[in-house]
Amino acid sequence: MKAVNLIEKQSGRAFKLNKGNILTVIDPEGQQVSDMVLFNINDLNEKLSSGKSLDFEESILLTKGNFLWSNRSNKMVKIIEDTNGRNDFLLAPCSKETFEIMYKFKGYHPSCLENLHKNLKPFGILIDDIPTAFNIFMNVQFDENGKITVLPPTSKAGDYIQFEAQMDLLVCLTSCSAEDSNGGSFKTIQYVVESKHL
Amino acid sequence: MKAVNLIEKQSGRAFKLNKGNILTVIDPEGQQVSDMVLFNINDLNEKLSSGKSLDFEESILLTKGNFLWSNRSNKMVKIIEDTNGRNDFLLAPCSKETFEIMYKFKGYHPSCLENLHKNLKPFGILIDDIPTAFNIFMNVQFDENGKITVLPPTSKAGDYIQFEAQMDLLVCLTSCSAEDSNGGSFKTIQYVVESKHL
């Protein structure tokens, strides 16, 4: 039996993922985004790098067959399955300032950055140390002039992406809190961790 | 008289830039790239963020009129002039691993990451804390599928980009060490710092 873990809407979860283990991130209802950050659990100064991932994979969009790389140029995970096929590193995790500056929202608004921080804080990670996240299922469109538009995800209920850990990792995932990235619906995300030989 | 500072080929320079001051980065010979990183000089944990800059500016390519933002969602610089018009945040500063992994180069090779670190170390900045740089004059092409190609810069001798500091900054600039980003030529970069009222 595979244990399916639930990330409630507008929240996050951090957990260990051993080298060789398989992480499956599922969009159970469709049209939801999950921000993912990765750290080397044995040295938290080594972490996910958007720049290094784009460098070595030579692509803005990353899917099955691509690796995600660290700031020290090491492979962190390999994407071994991706039923939706749209993920990127372009935009930062939404934060309270995203809502204040881009949406003129006043007052408290949950955000991916807050949820990443809340779950990573027990491991000693400061908010300033959270890298640009891998935006799973996020539908960021760009034209030849580089103009960016965020559209609702194309993911359907049950779509998933699967990662094979290339080192022992600390993973943090969110169920995105931003109206813009999930078409105004706030939904859950699910994940499953399996050891290599199951 | 404006003092023109020279960054020798395959090297870097770090310096303070006060709020309101104007920084001009010049490509004196044409077809050279400069990597730039920024820190809040009063709190070095606040630094340039590619994700936040793309978020708030809604563009992969950044030029005149755009701001570069920090990981704390504050404006760091405004681009007030840009005679070439091609700069981005896509790829990480070249590092020894770039040459080993992408170009199968063996032995020592100077790199932007090394040169950023060498110049930022006296300020207490660790190599792991260097963010994805703003790639000035870099000609990174991408297609609708996100495929990335690095072409020689389109900058001509004397092309420049000008930034107005929005806070007191620590700036580090390089003359890029990678064959790929300057068409196999290694050249210098120049910069000028002017106070607001000159």
Side-chain angles (χ1 to χ4, degrees), chain A residues 153-194:
Chain A
T154 54
S155 49
K156 295 178 188 61
D159 268 332
Y160 65 93
I161 183 168
Q162 232 167 10
F163 305 94
E164 185 184 71
Q166 309 294 303
M167 61 171 73
D168 292 341
L169 294 169
L170 171 63
V171 179
C172 194
L173 287 170
T174 68
S175 297
C176 185
S177 301
E179 284 78 354
D180 239 34
S181 59
N182 49 38
S185 67
F186 302 110
K187 293 169 180 165
T188 59
I189 286 287
Q190 294 176 341
Y191 70 93
V192 174
V193 173
E194 293 167 280

Side-chain angles (χ1 to χ4, degrees), chain A residues 59-77:
Chain A
S59 182
I60 293 175
L61 300 173
L62 299 166
T63 183
K64 186 174 174 174
N66 289 124
F67 291 89
L68 306 186
W69 295 71
S70 78
N71 57 342
R72 294 185 191 163
S73 297
N74 293 312
K75 292 173 179 171
M76 302 192 91
V77 292

Side-chain angles (χ1 to χ4, degrees), chain A residues 38-68:
Chain A
L38 304 170
F39 296 82
N40 173 349
I41 193 124
N42 299 310
D43 183 348
L44 298 173
N45 289 319
E46 180 168 17
K47 56 192 172 188
L48 189 61
S49 164
S50 66
K52 283 296 178 192
S53 298
L54 270 61
D55 247 356
F56 295 131
E57 301 302 317
E58 299 181 304
S59 182
I60 293 175
L61 300 173
L62 299 166
T63 183
K64 186 174 174 174
N66 289 124
F67 291 89
L68 306 186

Side-chain angles (χ1 to χ4, degrees), chain A residues 45 51-52 54-56 58-61 71-73 90-93 95 97-98 102 128 142-143 145-146 148, chain B residues 45 51-52 54-55 58-61 71-73 90-93 95 97-98 102 128 142-143 145-146 148:
Chain A
N45 289 319
K52 283 296 178 192
L54 270 61
D55 247 356
F56 295 131
E58 299 181 304
S59 182
I60 293 175
L61 300 173
N71 57 342
R72 294 185 191 163
S73 297
L90 292 168
L91 306 181
S95 64
E97 296 85 0
T98 312
M102 300 193 72
D128 287 328
F142 47 87
D143 66 19
N145 298 316
I148 286 173
Chain B
N45 289 320
K52 283 297 178 192
L54 270 60
D55 246 356
E58 300 181 303
S59 183
I60 293 175
L61 300 172
N71 57 340
R72 294 185 190 163
S73 297
L90 291 169
L91 305 181
S95 64
E97 296 86 0
T98 312
M102 300 193 72
D128 288 327
F142 47 88
D143 66 17
N145 298 317
I148 286 173

